[in-house]
Amino acid sequence: AGTFGYMAPESFGNSFTPKSDLYGVGASLLFAATGLEPGALPVDRLQVKFEQALVGTVWERQETWLPQLLQRLLAPAPEDRFSSASEALTFLRSPPVPVALTRDAGSNGARRPREAVSLEPPRGSKIVVKEVPGELRILFPPPSLSLEMGTFATAWTVFTGVWTAGVVSAGAPIMALFSLPFWNVGFTMLKDTFQPLIRGALELRIERDRWTISKANGKQLDSGKTAKLQCFLEGPEMGQNYLVLQEGIERPLKQGGLTQTEAEWLEALISSYSG
């Protein structure tokens, strides 16, 4: 602890709180569970992406509380971590119970959720869910623009551009290379904010063997194997909750514009049909 990969993001700005120590604990637990240095794992907007390192391990198959614990401990923003060590301990004593699965002989053996995962969207949600034999269909409406996220992403990218131009004009082009990670973060935020608006409504179909993502006009955008599909949540980031679908190292879907209730409901529903 106290070295790169084990230090909370705010520590690099000389800001230290008890929550910074919780981040170090999470990084140490991650190393103990995977044998991999946290600093060597992929990072997306300062969030360590450890999920792939747990694939095929006991932590994924049985001890599913660990990924949820790590998600809270390693949250980039201090306010998204546990409020204290006592809260983290309370979580450990009563970790969330994973969604139970069952099989329906009438659906060719396809996985189906138990009654605990309702097909009925939360009240007020515009998401449409339909179930046909052996297939789950989810229609995501076009997301609305997040002014907060769009403004922040634009300001971040503009500031990075101004800083890079200043360094280059000062005759230090090598120093400009240090801006590359910031460019990557800026472009990722812009993509996550504006790409869904351009793309419009999406339909996700999950069958026993394959899944597909298509536009509302029927044009297929991506597909893959249901058994390898992972579903998890990211956020909140600038007030946005994201539902993420991942297969291998690729993310065919990162759907924003969701309330916390919608995101958690969709995660449970999709996870019960996949994997």
Side-chain angles (χ1 to χ4, degrees):
T3 57
F4 179 75
Y6 294 84
M7 296 175 63
E10 67 271 13
S11 301
F12 293 96
N14 292 322
S15 176
F16 301 92
T17 70
K19 290 187 176 184
S20 304
D21 294 331
L22 290 177
Y23 188 97
V25 170
S28 300
L29 284 175
L30 179 58
F31 175 76
T34 65
L36 300 174
E37 289 288 347
L41 295 174
V43 176
D44 182 16
R45 298 188 190 179
L46 303 181
Q47 174 73 61
V48 179
K49 309 310 296 180
F50 57 82
E51 292 84 0
Q52 197 62 28
L54 299 178
V55 172
T57 68
V58 65
W59 307 111
E60 181 196 36
R61 296 191 302 269
Q62 298 177 16
E63 306 296 338
T64 55
W65 55 267
L66 180 65
Q68 299 175 61
L69 175 67
L70 292 176
Q71 195 73 33
R72 292 288 302 278
L73 290 173
L74 296 175
E79 58 268 24
D80 293 333
R81 297 175 206 149
F82 292 107
S83 61
S84 64
S86 296
E87 185 184 1
L89 183 59
T90 299
F91 175 92
L92 285 173
R93 288 171 173 167
S94 56
V97 179
V99 178
L101 302 182
T102 185
R103 290 186 178 271
D104 190 329
S107 298
N108 298 320
R111 289 191 175 194
R112 294 168 54 92
R114 296 187 185 275
E115 293 181 0
V117 185
S118 173
L119 293 173
E120 186 71 23
R123 184 175 180 179
S125 174
K126 296 182 180 180
I127 297 171
V128 178
V129 176
K130 183 178 181 181
E131 183 184 29
V132 298
E135 182 180 79
L136 176 69
R137 299 177 183 176
I138 301 176
L139 179 64
F140 296 95
S144 57
L145 174 63
S146 171
L147 292 178
E148 183 180 12
M149 188 64 176
T151 302
F152 182 79
T154 302
W156 177 288
T157 307
V158 170
F159 176 81
T160 303
V162 172
W163 184 89
T164 304
V167 171
V168 172
S169 64
I174 300 300
M175 286 291 294
L177 295 177
F178 287 97
S179 70
L180 291 178
F182 296 94
W183 279 112
N184 180 59
V185 171
F187 286 138
T188 300
M189 288 192 293
L190 289 172
K191 177 183 176 182
D192 290 344
T193 302
F194 295 105
Q195 186 183 57
L197 298 175
I198 299 173
R199 188 179 56 198
L202 289 179
E203 183 181 50
L204 169 65
R205 295 191 178 194
I206 303 178
E207 302 177 62
R208 182 179 63 172
D209 300 319
R210 297 194 63 79
W211 58 265
T212 59
I213 296 176
S214 306
K215 289 187 175 181
N217 61 9
K219 181 181 179 181
Q220 183 172 308
L221 300 176
D222 212 334
S223 64
K225 297 181 179 179
T226 299
K228 296 183 178 181
L229 185 66
Q230 294 179 297
C231 179
F232 53 91
L233 304 183
E234 284 189 352
E237 299 173 5
M238 299 298 292
Q240 286 274 331
N241 295 290
Y242 291 95
L243 178 78
V244 180
L245 296 184
Q246 180 168 319
E247 182 175 337
I249 62 174
E250 295 185 353
R251 293 184 168 191
L253 179 67
K254 185 175 181 179
Q255 184 71 22
L258 304 171
T259 66
Q260 184 70 23
T261 301
E262 286 178 315
E264 292 176 352
W265 164 69
L266 284 169
E267 180 192 27
L269 182 61
I270 294 173
S271 295
S272 69
Y273 274 80
S274 61

